[in-house]
């Protein structure tokens, strides 16, 4: 079962109109796990108003949630034409990840996730004809190659800093 947590921060959850409090997510995970189901959680990285410290708090929350979350999808925030987010971005621009900064940050996130947690997604993009930003996300091969290269350069791995 996949659940869209997106962030643990209430202000951001309100901004994106998540529609439920963190306690509702927590109860859903507990019930799903009690029923023996696999739980995969979605987080969006780059939401307006969130620093990297905020985003890493959401990642660490997922890493240490009990009962254990089975998998995670890390989604790059992307802005699509004709959406409320596009209108907000046009009137109140906010910083977006560069490809290099995103790759480095996601690798940092992975270092704090347990080795047993399945990583289902490292990034994402929107349809090219609707994508406003970040445009670099549309080049999947380049992005995935950057992950491979940076893992080697940093000599790191998933779970490097995870403490149960």
């Amino acid at each position: 079962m996949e659940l869209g947590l997106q962030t643990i921060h209430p202000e951001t959850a309100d901004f994106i109109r998540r529609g439920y409090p963190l306690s509702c997510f927590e109860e859903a995970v507990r019930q799903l796990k009690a029923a023996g189901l696999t739980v995969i959680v979605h987080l969006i990285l780059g939401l307006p108003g969130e620093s990297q410290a905020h985003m890493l708090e959401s990642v660490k929350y997922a890493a240490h949630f009990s009962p254990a979350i089975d998998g995670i999808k890390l989604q790059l925030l992307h802005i699509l034409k004709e959406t409320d987010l596009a209108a907000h971005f046009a009137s109140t621009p906010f910083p977006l990840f560069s490809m290099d900064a995103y790759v480095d940050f996601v690798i940092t996130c992975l270092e704090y996730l347990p080795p047993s947690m399945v990583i289902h997604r490292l990034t994402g993009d929107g349809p090219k004809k609707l994508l406003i930003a970040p445009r670099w996300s549309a080049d999947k091969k380049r992005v995935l190659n950057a992950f491979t290269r940076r893992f080697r350069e940093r000599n790191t791995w998933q779970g490097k800093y995870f403490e149960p």
Side-chain angles (χ1 to χ4, degrees):
M1 179 65 67
E2 297 189 19
L3 299 176
L5 175 60
Q6 318 313 2
T7 179
I8 62 168
H9 302 285
E11 305 82 20
T12 310
D14 288 345
F15 175 79
I16 64 171
R17 295 180 278 205
R18 184 176 66 198
Y20 54 86
L22 190 57
S23 59
C24 182
F25 167 83
E26 292 168 346
E27 183 58 26
V29 172
R30 287 186 187 98
Q31 288 182 19
L32 291 166
K33 294 299 289 180
L37 296 173
T38 299
V39 176
I40 301 164
V41 174
H42 294 237
L43 292 177
I44 298 176
L45 303 177
L47 289 166
E50 288 205 351
S51 66
Q52 287 188 15
H54 285 107
M55 292 177 256
L56 193 55
E57 287 173 1
S58 292
V59 168
K60 288 178 178 179
Y61 170 88
H64 290 95
F65 191 87
S66 182
I69 291 168
D70 303 290
I72 194 164
K73 289 186 175 183
L74 300 174
Q75 173 70 43
L76 168 69
L77 177 77
H78 52 272
I79 301 170
L80 301 179
K81 293 177 183 175
E82 300 182 25
T83 63
D84 290 348
L85 185 60
H88 177 75
F89 186 69
S91 67
T92 313
F94 52 88
L96 299 173
F97 276 108
S98 68
M99 185 182 79
D100 289 336
Y102 184 76
V103 168
D104 274 326
F105 181 66
V106 168
I107 290 172
T108 297
C109 291
L110 296 178
E111 290 172 330
Y112 287 94
L113 291 173
S116 61
M117 185 178 283
V118 177
I119 309 302
H120 292 265
R121 178 180 295 144
L122 295 174
T123 187
D125 59 14
K128 289 181 184 179
K129 65 183 178 182
L130 299 178
L131 184 63
I132 295 172
R135 298 294 300 164
W136 59 261
S137 67
D139 189 348
K140 286 258 195 221
K141 187 174 184 179
R142 183 172 153 235
V143 175
L144 294 175
N145 285 338
F147 276 108
T148 301
R149 183 178 58 256
R150 289 299 292 146
F151 265 110
R152 270 190 257 122
E153 291 169 356
R154 286 176 55 170
N155 188 31
T156 196
W157 57 90
Q158 180 180 338
K160 183 176 186 176
Y161 300 123
F162 176 73
E163 296 179 15

